Amino acid sequence: MGLLRKWFCVDYETSWTQLAREMEGRFRKGSWGSGSRVDVDVRGWTFTLDVYVVSDGKTSHYYTRLRAPYVNPSGFRFKVFPQGFFAKIGKAFGMQDVEIGVPEFDDRWIVQGTDASRLGSLFRTPEIRELLGGAGSL
């Protein structure tokens, strides 16, 4: 932390403690292996605000993350990731890849999930494909 920032800025722990107090939540100080967070209970649900760190080996990128529970009674789950060398090998050995019916999308992405019909409905929507980084124009 820079010297000027140390003198003139409030550290995030102090800010998060104040936030937790104002939202009638709890500040939980981090320890080795887990970061600090704020938990707020709203109508039986716990919302969590924390910092998520992604390292690319050279630098670390810090993201403030808000996590909230949701009800998923059907157990619908899916994964989407780009086609690549290892995906082609996996497909050769029987790895699941649900075909959506949009050839440009199917050639670019691997889609796996618990319900092929729902996956097709979801990813045939251009706005959803657009959220994958411009794939909506396919």
Side-chain angles (χ1 to χ4, degrees), residues 8 28 31 42 55-57 84-86 89 108:
F8 296 107
R28 301 198 187 269
S31 61
V42 179
S55 177
D56 62 12
F85 175 75
F86 292 109
I89 292 172
R108 187 171 173 187

Side-chain angles (χ1 to χ4, degrees), residues 107-129:
D107 291 343
R108 187 171 173 187
W109 299 97
I110 299 287
V111 178
Q112 299 175 336
T114 58
D115 186 329
S117 175
R118 287 177 71 183
L119 288 168
S121 295
L122 179 66
F123 288 105
R124 278 191 293 274
T125 306
E127 294 84 4
I128 297 296
R129 294 194 313 271

Side-chain angles (χ1 to χ4, degrees), residues 28-50:
R28 301 198 187 269
K29 186 173 176 61
S31 61
W32 191 85
S34 67
S36 299
R37 68 187 209 204
V38 172
D39 291 329
V40 178
D41 296 323
V42 179
R43 297 186 198 150
W45 300 89
T46 300
F47 293 81
T48 301
L49 180 69
D50 64 2

Side-chain angles (χ1 to χ4, degrees), residues 47-111:
F47 293 81
T48 301
L49 180 69
D50 64 2
V51 174
Y52 179 67
V53 182
V54 177
S55 177
D56 62 12
K58 296 179 184 175
T59 61
S60 294
H61 304 276
Y62 294 81
Y63 301 93
T64 301
R65 171 175 65 176
L66 175 66
R67 293 182 289 154
Y70 66 95
V71 177
N72 183 6
S74 69
F76 178 59
R77 298 178 83 70
F78 65 89
K79 293 181 185 179
V80 180
F81 50 94
Q83 293 269 9
F85 175 75
F86 292 109
K88 289 178 183 177
I89 292 172
K91 283 173 61 173
F93 285 99
M95 178 182 77
Q96 180 189 32
D97 181 18
V98 176
E99 297 290 320
I100 300 306
V102 178
E104 296 85 359
F105 181 85
D106 291 334
D107 291 343
R108 187 171 173 187
W109 299 97
I110 299 287
V111 178

